[in-house]
């Protein structure tokens, strides 16, 4: 039986800004095939996804959708897209502390409202037309199936801000499945997920091909590919490098060597020539940087942390591990002073107890922080250099004229990470890997005593991941900084980190992050 096409390109060329991308591309996705787009950071995976869903101008050639949309909708309106970057619209304009401020949390959007017919389908609640009599019941059936499939019923009365990364990903997918889609693009769907949640997502995705919906997976990590993926499309430099059956593409990829070399890696400065950092004392009894004593965090009857005791001494770097929802981000927020309950507990940072009059901003001068969540708070127009310079002031953006000393320090770190030629370009015009390297430079530019790395390798290809890990490992070995490293992937922990704090999973349905 001849395969039935689902989506196809024929000699297609698209325009992105002032340049041509995916020139003269020809490919066909068939209904009985399960595809994934793979490639390193900055290769053009998300650009191709935008092209396939009609978001880029088609200059010549043909883009065809071989499926019939529901009545009243165009094919493009039945193509969904879920990505980590989508979360930027949820938090834009807020500050990091809002996640932990109870009054803000109570006033933020409930999951049930986020999944409502009016919000998902972008319906004016005062609109009264006959079409809703048919469309809304169908929507509620889809939503009910999605809630059951993804097991998010227990989240409905919680706020979006209270969800952990893995929980929020499940809600985002449920929202997409509630729509009348024919194609769903999932861009790096496993970011921030623990192994158990990743396995659960794999099982969910394996069930979707039995429906009318087709799923197109987009990832920089081949190791994350579910077993049911049959075909791969490998992207390099905004063109299709290889496409075909999974085993064939992977064998050709292995024969050529792993793609994804870091842009400007030739400019990378070896660790022993890195910008000058402070040297941690090697005294037998090092100074305590962090002390958490019998720390308990709760909202009503929901307990986030219970009697947690933890000490971090100078020069003793730690890995902070635990499943989604176990409280890792809560611990970090207590240290950073962003959680209001830090002042109800015995939280001592650099010898100062939270609430004893020491300014949070004074303490933060000695802390460097890197996280994907921080990355999403920056404005689209901010330059790479300004992001690094903002590290001197702990601000999301640069609002003060830098001194000559600060500018020189920023240039040294930009040069160290091979970012100097991008200094004046917008942060978000760079690949995810280079954005994360920029945040690491921002964290280090002020020579912090403590470096907090919250999922620093999340969403990165192998080359950028290795570059981050090598640099952090070199800093720790040189005793330049004390680090707290959070990850769901043990293989990402720098070798120099020998200590581990592992948090246990809280009971299902308990609120936290």
């Amino acid at each position: 039986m001849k395969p039935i096409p689902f989506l196809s390109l024929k000699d297609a060329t698209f325009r992105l800004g002032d340049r041509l991308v995916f020139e003269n591309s020809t490919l066909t996705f068939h209904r009985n095939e399960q595809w994934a787009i793979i490639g390193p950071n900055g290769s053009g995976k998300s650009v191709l996804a935008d092209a396939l869903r009609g978001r880029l101008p088609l200059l010549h050639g043909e883009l065809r959708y071989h499926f019939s949309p529901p009545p009243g909708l165009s094919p493009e309106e039945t193509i969904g897209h879920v990505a980590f970057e989508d979360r930027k619209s949820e938090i834009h304009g807020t500050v990091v502390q809002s996640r932990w401020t109870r009054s803000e949390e109570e006033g933020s959007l409930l999951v049930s409202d986020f999944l409502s017919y009016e919000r998902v389908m972008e319906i004016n609640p005062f609109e009264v037309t006959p079409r809703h009599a048919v469309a809304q019941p169908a929507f509620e059936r889809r939503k009910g199936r999605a809630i059951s499939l993804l097991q998010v019923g227990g989240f409905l009365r919680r706020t979006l801000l209270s969800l952990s990364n893995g929980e929020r990903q499940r809600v985002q997918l449920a929202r997409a499945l509630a729509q009348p889609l024919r194609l769903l693009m999932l861009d790096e769907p496993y970011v921030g997920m623990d192994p158990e949640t990743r396995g659960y997502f794999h099982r969910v995705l394996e069930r979707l091909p039995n429906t009318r919906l087709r799923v197109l997976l987009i990832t920089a990590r081949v190791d994350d590919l579910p077993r049911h993926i049959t075909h791969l499309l490998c992207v390099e430099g905004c063109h299709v490098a290889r496409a075909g059956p999974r085993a064939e593409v992977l064998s050709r990829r292995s024969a050529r060597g792993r793609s994804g070399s870091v842009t400007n890696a030739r400019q990378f400065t070896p660790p022993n020539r890195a910008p000058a950092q402070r040297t941690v004392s090697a005294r037998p009894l090092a100074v305590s940087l962090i002390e958490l004593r019998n720390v308990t965090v709760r909202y009503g009857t929901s307990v986030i942390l219970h009697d947690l005791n933890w000490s971090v001494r100078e020069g003793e770097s730690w890995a902070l591990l635990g499943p989604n929802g176990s409280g890792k981000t809560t611990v970090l927020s207590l240290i950073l002073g962003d959680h209001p309950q830090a002042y109800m507990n015995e939280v001592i940072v650099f010898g100062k107890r939270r609430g004893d009059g020491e300014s949070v901003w004074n303490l933060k001068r000695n802390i460097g922080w890197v996280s994907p969540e921080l990355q999403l708070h920056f404005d689209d127009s901010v330059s790479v250099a300004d992001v690094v310079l903002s590290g001197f002031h702990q601000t999301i953006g640069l609002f003060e004229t830098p001194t000559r000393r600060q500018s020189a320090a920023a240039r040294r770190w930009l040069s160290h990470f091979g970012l100097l030629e991008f200094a004046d370009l917008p942060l978000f015009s760079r690949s995810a890997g280079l954005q994360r390297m920029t945040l690491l430079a921002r964290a280090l530019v002020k020579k912090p005593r403590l470096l907090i790395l919250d999922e620093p390798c999340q969403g990165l290809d192998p080359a950028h991941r290795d570059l981050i890990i090598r640099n952090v490992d070199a800093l720790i070995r040189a005793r330049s900084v004390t680090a707290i490293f959070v990850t769901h992937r043990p293989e990402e922990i720098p070798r120099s980190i020998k200590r581990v704090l592992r948090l246990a999973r809280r009971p299902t349905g308990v609120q936290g992050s």
Side-chain angles (χ1 to χ4, degrees), residues 4 46 88 116 127 168 208 308 311 318 337 377 397 420 453 490:
I4 302 173
S46 297
K88 188 167 186 178
S116 68
E127 177 186 346
R168 194 174 306 191
L208 292 180
L308 175 65
S311 176
W318 287 74
H377 280 77
L420 196 55
L453 299 154

Side-chain angles (χ1 to χ4, degrees), residues 19 32 42 50 56 65 89 96-97 185 225 282 307 317 348 383 419 449 451 465 512:
R19 65 190 181 106
N32 64 337
D50 283 343
L56 298 184
Y65 304 115
S89 62
V96 179
Q97 293 96 317
M185 299 179 176
L225 292 173
D307 283 344
S317 293
I348 302 170
S383 71
L419 298 170
R449 297 176 68 186
L451 179 63
R465 202 161 59 242

Side-chain angles (χ1 to χ4, degrees), residues 124-165:
N124 184 333
F126 301 104
E127 177 186 346
V128 180
T129 62
R131 69 188 180 99
H132 297 310
V134 176
Q136 187 163 2
F139 168 85
E140 296 297 340
R141 288 192 294 271
R142 291 192 301 269
K143 185 175 79 170
R145 289 193 294 267
I147 288 174
S148 176
L149 177 66
L150 292 159
Q151 299 178 12
V152 297
F155 305 155
L156 294 178
R157 302 313 302 169
R158 290 173 55 183
T159 63
L160 282 176
L161 290 177
S162 75
L163 301 180
S164 69
N165 281 338

Side-chain angles (χ1 to χ4, degrees), residues 75-101:
E76 291 83 357
E77 290 176 302
T78 64
I79 301 177
H81 183 256
V82 177
F84 175 69
E85 281 295 318
D86 293 344
R87 290 177 53 195
K88 188 167 186 178
S89 62
E90 297 174 21
I91 62 176
H92 186 69
T94 66
V95 293
V96 179
Q97 293 96 317
S98 67
R99 180 169 184 171
W100 308 110
T101 304

Side-chain angles (χ1 to χ4, degrees), residues 395-461:
T395 53
I396 307 300
L398 187 63
F399 306 103
E400 298 183 31
T401 302
T403 66
R404 292 177 63 182
R405 181 188 63 81
Q406 290 172 341
S407 295
R411 288 182 64 83
R412 285 197 299 271
W413 279 107
L414 287 168
S415 177
H416 175 61
F417 290 131
L419 298 170
L420 196 55
E421 68 175 282
F422 309 124
D424 296 326
L425 298 177
L427 175 69
F428 292 102
S429 70
R430 302 298 90 199
S431 69
L434 294 185
Q435 290 177 37
R436 205 64 51 77
M437 297 299 294
T438 302
L439 289 188
L440 183 56
R442 176 187 185 270
L444 294 170
V445 73
K446 59 185 176 181
K447 301 181 183 179
R449 297 176 68 186
L450 178 67
L451 179 63
I452 294 179
L453 299 154
D454 189 0
E455 293 273 10
C457 302
Q458 181 175 287
L460 300 189
D461 60 44

Side-chain angles (χ1 to χ4, degrees), residues 143-203:
K143 185 175 79 170
R145 289 193 294 267
I147 288 174
S148 176
L149 177 66
L150 292 159
Q151 299 178 12
V152 297
F155 305 155
L156 294 178
R157 302 313 302 169
R158 290 173 55 183
T159 63
L160 282 176
L161 290 177
S162 75
L163 301 180
S164 69
N165 281 338
E167 292 167 343
R168 194 174 306 191
Q169 290 287 82
R170 287 160 62 183
V171 170
Q172 281 185 298
L173 183 53
R175 180 186 174 95
L177 295 179
Q179 301 172 51
L181 301 181
R182 294 293 180 264
L183 174 62
L184 175 59
M185 299 179 176
L186 296 178
D187 199 335
E188 297 292 354
Y190 304 107
V191 295
M193 291 186 181
D194 60 43
E196 182 179 338
T197 307
R198 289 199 300 272
Y200 172 74
F201 252 59
H202 280 179
R203 294 190 294 274

Side-chain angles (χ1 to χ4, degrees), residues 263-274:
T263 303
N264 264 19
R266 63 185 183 280
Q267 297 184 20
F268 174 71
T269 308
N272 62 353
R273 290 165 50 203

